[in-house]
Every structure is written in structure tokens, then in C-alpha cells.
Amino acid sequence: MPHTLGSVLVGAALALLPVAHSESATSLRLTLKHPGREGAEPRNATLRCDPPGGRHPEAMRACADLAESGGRFEHEPDGRMCTAIHSPVSVRAAGTWRGRPVRFRKTYPNDCVMRSRTGMVFAF
């Protein structure tokens, strides 16, 4: 069956279109809030990796932390000394990590403990 010039051109044009969803895409919606602080609004950021970007002020370092942990949001404490002051902080992440759907939600006793366990991911 002969190909017409029109079908060849349509096929070539489709091959040049960007892929809407890459299997390696990382796109996360991150939320941080302090439930015990009166009047404190939740903070939100977006994080994209490969290449790092979004509205996260430390996107490159946050993506590096996620890559090092294999996409886990929480890891063993990093060794910093944190006070026992109770000032809860809740974090949430939803989206995709390297093309896989992910969700994470956790409340930590304070910001220091949260940073010790999550690195730069929620540093915004």
C-alpha cells in the first residue's frame, strides 16, 4: 500500500510533538503548615526535577535529596541536635516521582525534627 505525502507529513509532525508525560517526570505539590500557630497560613510550593524547577526556592537541593533517598520523603535523622520544644509542623506531598504516583503526609514535633528527617524537600 503506497504512502501518500500527506500521511508521511502527519506522521513526521506527530513524532516531533513533545511527550506530555515522561516516564521520568517528577512533579510534586508540597504543603507545609503549623497547626498550632494562630493565623499561620499553609505554605505551598511546586517541585519539578530533571531538570530541577518549579516554585521551590531550593529545587536543586530538594531534587538531590529525593534522588539520594530513592524518592522517599523521609529518611533517618541527619544527626542535628533538635530541642524538645513542641511546635508541630505538618507536611504533605502529592504528585509523581520519576513517573510514579506518590503521596506523603506526616506531622513532626517541630521544624528542626522535620528538616532532620526530610532534608531540603520541605525547605520553603
Side-chain angles (χ1 to χ4, degrees):
M1 178 173 197
H3 291 336
T4 66
L5 179 59
S7 64
V8 170
L9 291 175
V10 168
L14 289 173
L16 294 175
L17 289 175
V19 176
H21 178 69
S22 170
E23 287 186 21
S24 64
T26 295
S27 180
L28 300 165
R29 291 178 315 279
L30 306 171
T31 303
L32 180 144
K33 62 182 177 177
H34 293 89
R37 292 187 190 167
E38 193 173 315
E41 293 292 319
R43 289 183 284 172
N44 298 291
T46 55
L47 177 64
R48 291 184 184 83
C49 300
D50 304 318
R55 294 186 154 259
H56 194 294
E58 296 286 344
M60 187 174 291
R61 293 173 64 194
C63 289
D65 282 351
L66 283 170
E68 187 176 313
S69 70
R72 290 187 320 272
F73 294 94
E74 185 176 71
H75 50 73
E76 291 298 316
D78 65 9
R80 72 181 73 192
M81 298 296 293
C82 295
T83 65
I85 294 173
H86 186 71
S87 179
V89 57
S90 297
V91 296
R92 185 175 55 209
T96 57
W97 165 252
R98 295 190 174 166
R100 292 178 289 137
V102 292
R103 290 195 179 281
F104 177 77
R105 178 179 279 185
K106 180 104 182 209
T107 299
Y108 295 94
N110 57 49
D111 286 309
C112 180
V113 174
M114 182 264 305
R115 293 265 172 93
S116 175
R117 299 299 303 265
T118 63
M120 297 303 292
V121 175
F122 295 98
F124 56 88

